[in-house]
């Protein structure tokens, strides 16, 4: 019988799921994903995780609880770095231990370290370490990893063309339409796990689409462009997310084809606290593009969020039509 490997539908699920799914399936494992985020999952996460954790980590706990009794293994990689000479938030590094020491009745956790800080080649090492849980044939593991990389590249290509990850992951057939002239172009900047979780983001992206907004996210911008633009920072950005968020924003500002920027952050995020500040400063210094920050936490009310989005869109349309002197503070 195929071994079942559980993947919580949270954090880097929204970035790497196509890669992980192909990899495990090629090795003969059955991939089980936790249910879509619900109030129950969020409440379970909030109750079982330390109060100081950020919302996405609390939510991750809820997804582990949702899936832990249904699988033989839980895949919780220990992410340290996903890009040369950069780190990601340390909470990712501590995640397997946090889960192990906070929750009971867990299956075995596969907590392979993913650390590309020194070299990309470490990814292959991590694949081998993970693959040995399911098979002892090194060649087969490498072949599965190559196929997984191909699935990941295909996924990334679709995203770059403008298909949102949440549509691909939900297997929605999206027909790409050329944005109409009447549409507003709004950059929605934030972590994938905040933007693409419909429950926690209160379906922000679809709400914007209903307002006839063409949503642009970091994932749609070519990595080489982001890298180039991030060089404009006085100092090299230490954090992976910071470089991507700022590099893509600089690019969009230069292109002059966005009408507004929404920065989505979650309460308790240390990385966002300075990335958001820095971004706001840069946007204000270099443009008069409206900028708004939406903070998500377990208490965020949907009505309040809707009002802010609506007011922001109205203000942009009004500015575009009538008066560019209207405050861009959002
Ligand atoms: S980057 Fe922020 S939101 Fe993401 S895990 Fe770290 S603290 Fe949480």
């Amino acid at each position: 019988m195929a071994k079942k490997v559980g993947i919580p539908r949270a954090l880097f699920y929204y970035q790497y799921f196509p890669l992980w799914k192909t990899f495990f399936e090629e090795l003969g494992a059955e991939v089980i994903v936790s249910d879509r985020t619900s109030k129950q999952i969020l409440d379970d996460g909030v109750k079982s995780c330390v109060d100081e954790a950020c919302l996405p980590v609390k939510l991750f706990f809820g997804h582990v609880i949702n899936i832990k009794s249904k699988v033989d293994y839980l895949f919780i990689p220990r992410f340290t770095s996903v890009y040369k000479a950069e780190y990601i938030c340390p909470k990712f590094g501590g995640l397997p231990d946090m889960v192990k020491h906070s929750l009971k009745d867990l299956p075995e956790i596969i907590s392979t370290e993913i650390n590309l800080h020194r070299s990309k080649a470490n990814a292959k090492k991590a694949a081998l370490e993970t693959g040995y849980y399911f098979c002892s044939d090194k060649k087969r593991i490498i072949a599965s990893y190559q196929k997984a990389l191909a699935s990941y590249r295909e996924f990334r290509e679709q995203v770059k063309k403008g298909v949102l990850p949440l549509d691909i992951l939900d297997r929605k057939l999206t027909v790409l339409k050329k944005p109409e002239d009447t549409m507003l172009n709004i950059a929605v900047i934030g972590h994938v796990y905040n933007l693409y979780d419909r429950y926690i983001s209160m379906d922000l992206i679809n709400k914007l689409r209903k307002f006839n907004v063409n949503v642009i996210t970091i994932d749609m911008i070519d990595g080489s462009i982001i890298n180039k633009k991030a060089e404009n920072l006085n100092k090299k950005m230490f954090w992976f997310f910071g470089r991507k968020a700022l590099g893509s924003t600089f690019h969009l500002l230069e292109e002059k084809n966005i009408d507004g920027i929404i920065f989505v952050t979650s309460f308790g995020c240390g990385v966002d606290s300075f990335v958001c500040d820095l971004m706001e400063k840069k946007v204000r210094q270099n443009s008069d593009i409206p900028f708004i920050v939406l903070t998500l936490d377990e208490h965020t009310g949907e009505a309040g969020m809707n009002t802010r989005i609506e007011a922001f869109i109205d203000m942009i349309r009004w500015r575009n039509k009538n008066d560019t002197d209207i405050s861009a503070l959002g």
Side-chain angles (χ1 to χ4, degrees):
M1 218 170 65
K3 286 182 182 165
K4 291 182 183 159
V5 55
I7 297 185
R9 195 187 291 265
L11 294 177
F12 273 168
Y13 159 85
Y14 294 97
Q15 182 88 22
Y16 295 115
F17 181 67
L19 185 145
W20 295 340
K21 180 173 160 41
T22 307
F23 181 66
F24 289 123
E25 286 183 351
E26 284 295 318
L27 291 172
E30 186 184 347
V31 173
I32 311 277
V33 182
S34 55
D35 296 334
R36 288 197 166 69
T37 303
S38 59
K39 184 170 183 326
Q40 179 71 52
I41 289 182
L42 177 60
D43 288 351
D44 287 346
V46 170
K47 270 187 231 146
S48 56
C49 189
V50 288
D51 289 342
E52 293 73 23
C54 60
L55 180 68
V57 167
K58 288 178 181 168
L59 190 59
F60 187 87
F61 271 57
H63 280 277
V64 170
I65 293 169
N66 177 263
I67 204 177
K68 68 186 171 79
S69 62
K70 303 171 192 162
V71 296
D72 302 304
Y73 297 104
L74 268 174
F75 184 54
I76 310 182
R78 188 184 302 282
F79 277 105
T80 303
S81 164
V82 293
Y83 198 82
K84 201 160 177 226
E86 282 176 4
Y87 287 103
I88 60 168
C89 166
K91 291 207 172 98
F92 281 88
L95 201 58
D97 298 318
M98 282 176 80
V99 169
K100 219 178 280 175
H101 296 292
S102 308
L103 300 178
K104 288 194 180 121
D105 304 321
L106 292 166
E108 185 169 354
I109 295 180
I110 303 175
S111 58
T112 317
E113 187 183 14
I114 316 284
N115 188 351
L116 312 190
H117 184 260
R118 285 185 198 279
S119 160
K120 260 171 59 176
N122 284 344
K124 203 166 166 187
K125 220 171 103 197
L128 273 174
E129 196 183 311
T130 309
Y132 282 133
Y133 279 84
F134 303 91
C135 134
S136 53
D137 180 349
K138 186 175 173 183
K139 273 194 188 151
R140 185 169 168 208
I141 298 174
I142 299 288
S144 304
Y145 176 58
Q146 297 302 346
K147 282 200 179 156
L149 280 181
S151 300
Y152 179 66
R153 284 192 200 108
E154 198 184 307
F155 167 68
R156 300 294 313 151
E157 279 314 308
Q158 279 180 288
V159 175
K160 265 192 228 155
K161 284 182 197 151
V163 186
L164 289 168
L166 79 178
D167 287 340
I168 303 170
L169 297 170
D170 283 356
R171 295 177 189 278
K172 270 198 187 167
L173 284 178
T174 305
V175 181
L176 280 179
K177 287 192 287 184
K178 206 172 165 293
E180 299 152 20
D181 290 344
T182 53
M183 279 179 131
L184 292 179
N185 289 317
I186 296 204
V188 183
I189 309 288
H191 299 274
V192 285
Y193 38 87
N194 283 332
L195 300 190
Y196 302 135
D197 184 313
R198 289 202 157 100
Y199 185 87
I200 219 67
S201 71
M202 291 170 230
D203 213 8
L204 170 67
I205 290 183
N206 282 322
K207 274 184 184 144
L208 289 169
R209 285 167 166 173
K210 281 183 195 145
F211 282 116
N212 205 26
V213 165
N214 175 41
V215 173
I216 302 161
T217 64
I218 298 174
D219 319 272
M220 294 175 189
I221 301 166
D222 197 80
S224 57
I225 297 177
I226 294 180
N227 289 347
K228 184 127 196 53
K229 300 298 168 190
E231 286 169 9
N232 293 338
L233 285 162
N234 301 340
K235 210 173 151 198
K236 184 176 169 5
M237 180 59 74
F238 180 75
W239 301 107
F240 171 72
F241 173 72
R243 173 180 53 82
K244 287 184 53 154
L246 288 158
S248 49
T249 305
F250 291 158
H251 167 68
L252 293 169
L253 291 178
E254 271 177 38
E255 293 278 293
K256 296 191 192 313
N257 62 356
I258 46 167
D259 300 288
I261 299 173
I262 300 179
F263 189 95
V264 180
T265 179
S266 40
F267 187 71
C269 174
V271 174
D272 282 2
S273 62
F274 78 85
V275 173
C276 178
D277 255 20
L278 191 56
M279 181 179 294
E280 188 165 3
K281 262 185 214 139
K282 296 283 177 193
V283 173
R284 304 253 181 261
Q285 275 165 7
N286 298 303
S287 75
D288 67 345
I289 290 193
F291 181 92
I292 190 178
V293 180
L294 296 180
T295 305
L296 309 171
D297 71 16
E298 55 264 45
H299 310 294
T300 307
E302 189 160 2
M305 169 81 95
N306 291 349
T307 309
R308 292 198 69 203
I309 299 168
E310 241 178 281
F312 187 64
I313 303 287
D314 279 352
M315 179 265 287
I316 295 174
R317 290 202 195 282
W318 183 261
R319 284 178 106 236
N320 288 355
K321 201 166 139 208
N322 300 300
D323 187 352
T324 47
D325 291 334
I326 288 182
S327 162
L329 291 180

